Amino acid sequence: MSEVCSTRKERALSPTPPHPLLGARVLVTGGAGYIGSHACLALLEAGARVVSLDNYSNSTPEALRRVRALAEESCAARGAPPPSLDVVEGDLCDLPALRAALRAHPVSAAVHFAGLKAVGESCAQPLRYYHNNVTGTLTLLRALDEAGARRLVFSSSATVYGDPERLPIAEEAPLRATNPYGQTKLTVEDLLRDLARADARWVITLLRYFNPVGAHPSGLLGEDPAGPPNNLAPYITQVAAGRRARLQVFGGDYPTPDGTGVRDYIHVLDLVEGHLAALARGAGGGEARAYNLGAGRGVSVLELVAAFEHASGRAVPYEVVGRRAGDVAACYSDAARALRELGWRATRGVDEMARDAWRWQAQNPHGYRSAQEALS
Ligand code: NAD
Ligand code: UD1
């Protein structure tokens, strides 16, 4: 292809090939959530017909209203047909509701984001986590199987690697969970591996996310944690915005270049592009294939703080405190398999992540809620 379109003029004349997901009908569970909302938008922009299913336990329908508006704008600008987004309020664990949703909105594939994700909460409420994440997935699989929609992309996590023995972490690394949340991800992965092995009609892809950060560049979609954020990036943006006095840096004595924890931050737009690649190119063949979705680069807490200070033009005061229980010193991916087999790699750097996350925070100081709602 690059030889054929060797000059700029020839490239301009050659039509853009249709996206492989054009016209695909895709169920997105957790479509109103942080990653799900960005995925809905990317799917709509690719010409897929999207059905979002969410119970709004950790999100609001406002996110989907904005997804629709952004998709309409982007389709109109490209002269593409208007986007097709159906929004269903429902719970994963409610089989009759899932059946009804799939009857009303037939799909051929699903991207399964819906789940509870707070590690600390999962230690305090394991039954709730197993029920929601494991029973919920089982119920979803049953409904999809009955509907004949046997192509699935599952949101797994780097948490399934536990404390890694080797860096960077490749997909073959030993799997182990260190908390109930991680155990739900591992249990669902096991379940999906068994299913793919047992029934060749299923095409299942497991995507293990490293540390998603950033927001849509419009500033209209982003991460909207309820209460004090557990994770680093949203905490930093709230400090930069003046909502919190200072960041606590958990540990300054790790065996890392600056002593603080090292992670593999990945822009949420790169992450959702990985889902589109998996939907289009996931192969099945009796295996639920796992892929790391990471940038493949370790970034320390202090490096991320510096990127946000630069992006926001504000100081981010911090104090170094003791290590957080259960934290590992460093965790970053070997993302070569995703490049080789899905043709996907992350292209956005930490400066872009910080810029987009900061724009979201600055434009939406109370997330998707209005200032009045935030006070009540
Ligand atoms: P999120 O909480 O913003 O989104 C999850 C969505 O699922 C929410 O809209 C919530 O209301 C919905 N939901 C939860 N339980 C449901 C149920 N029973 N029925 C219907 N809807 C339900 O989280 P996110 O950051 O967008 O994460 C999406 C997925 O990715 C999760 O499965 C999470 O475990 C996984 N993941 C996230 C991260 C991360 O750092 N954000 C990292 C690794 C893996
Ligand atoms: C989180 C999840 C983990 C998930 C992973 C990838 C938790 C407890 N763990 O872990 O299950 O697999 O993301 O998505 O939520 N930090 C601070 N101060 C803070 C917050 C964090 O110094 O206020 C440090 C941490 O010690 C760590 C780094 O920042 O070194 C990143 O922390 P976090 O954003 O919570 O991500 P993970 O620890 O990777």
Side-chain angles (χ1 to χ4, degrees):
M1 179 64 94
S2 59
E3 278 164 25
V4 178
C5 303
S6 54
T7 67
R8 191 175 291 179
K9 192 171 160 205
E10 281 168 321
R11 271 200 301 275
L13 289 174
S14 59
T16 315
H19 195 283
L21 295 175
L22 181 68
R25 293 167 177 265
V26 183
L27 175 70
V28 178
T29 73
Y34 169 43
I35 304 168
S37 56
H38 289 83
C40 285
L41 179 57
L43 283 163
L44 292 167
E45 288 178 337
R49 302 164 70 89
V50 174
V51 182
S52 163
L53 179 107
D54 205 302
N55 65 1
Y56 308 117
S57 56
N58 195 37
S59 57
T60 143
E62 169 64 12
L64 289 166
R65 202 190 58 71
R66 295 186 184 189
V67 165
R68 189 189 298 282
L70 284 166
E72 281 170 356
E73 201 177 296
S74 136
C75 290
R78 288 176 292 120
S84 165
L85 171 65
D86 291 315
V87 173
V88 177
E89 179 168 359
D91 194 291
L92 273 187
C93 300
D94 182 348
L95 184 59
L98 288 185
R99 284 180 174 141
L102 292 176
R103 261 199 311 274
H105 311 283
V107 298
S108 57
V111 189
H112 177 28
F113 294 103
L116 300 172
K117 62 168 185 177
V119 172
E121 196 180 63
S122 79
C123 297
Q125 304 173 20
L127 293 181
R128 182 168 164 239
Y129 269 68
Y130 278 90
H131 180 69
N132 197 78
N133 294 4
V134 180
T135 309
T137 302
L138 269 171
T139 312
L140 173 71
L141 291 170
R142 191 163 160 197
L144 291 172
D145 195 41
E146 288 174 6
R150 299 190 185 89
R151 180 174 278 267
L152 182 86
V153 175
F154 173 62
S155 299
S156 189
S157 166
T159 193
V160 298
Y161 297 119
D163 194 350
E165 282 164 15
R166 255 197 243 159
L167 293 169
I169 309 174
E171 288 83 354
E172 300 82 7
L175 303 181
R176 62 175 83 90
T178 53
N179 55 67
Y181 164 69
Q183 188 60 55
T184 67
K185 290 292 173 195
L186 205 44
T187 303
V188 170
E189 281 206 3
D190 284 338
L191 157 64
L192 292 173
R193 273 186 280 273
D194 285 343
L195 179 59
R197 219 174 282 129
D199 185 342
R201 292 173 301 174
W202 281 91
V203 177
I204 297 173
T205 309
L206 313 173
L207 298 181
R208 296 179 182 150
Y209 310 164
F210 280 69
N211 291 68
V213 170
H216 191 265
S218 63
L220 289 172
L221 304 178
E223 187 172 10
D224 185 15
N230 295 312
N231 300 111
L232 181 60
Y235 208 103
I236 294 177
T237 56
Q238 292 192 6
V239 173
R243 270 178 76 180
R244 302 187 188 277
R246 68 175 57 77
L247 172 74
Q248 292 195 322
V249 175
F250 299 141
D253 57 352
Y254 283 112
T256 59
D258 65 16
T260 66
V262 164
R263 295 293 185 273
D264 184 347
Y265 298 97
I266 172 172
H267 197 296
V268 66
L269 294 191
D270 279 327
L271 190 77
V272 302
E273 283 167 11
H275 291 68
L276 269 62
L279 262 183
R281 299 179 69 168
E287 182 187 2
R289 190 90 168 135
Y291 297 93
N292 287 338
L293 294 188
R297 157 189 74 217
V299 173
S300 75
V301 173
L302 295 184
E303 284 172 327
L304 199 70
V305 167
F308 273 93
E309 286 188 324
H310 184 248
S312 64
R314 301 191 180 190
V316 176
Y318 67 85
E319 59 178 333
V320 179
V321 299
R323 295 180 179 188
R324 182 171 67 178
D327 266 358
V328 301
C331 173
Y332 52 92
S333 65
D334 172 347
R337 182 188 282 182
L339 178 59
R340 215 170 40 241
E341 298 181 14
L342 302 178
W344 173 90
R345 73 184 168 86
T347 59
R348 297 165 176 90
V350 279
D351 290 337
E352 195 168 345
M353 298 176 210
R355 205 170 52 233
D356 290 338
W358 174 248
R359 188 181 299 110
W360 155 255
Q361 170 69 45
Q363 289 183 23
N364 307 269
H366 305 285
Y368 288 110
R369 292 169 304 162
S370 64
Q372 203 173 14
E373 283 171 312
L375 283 174
S376 60

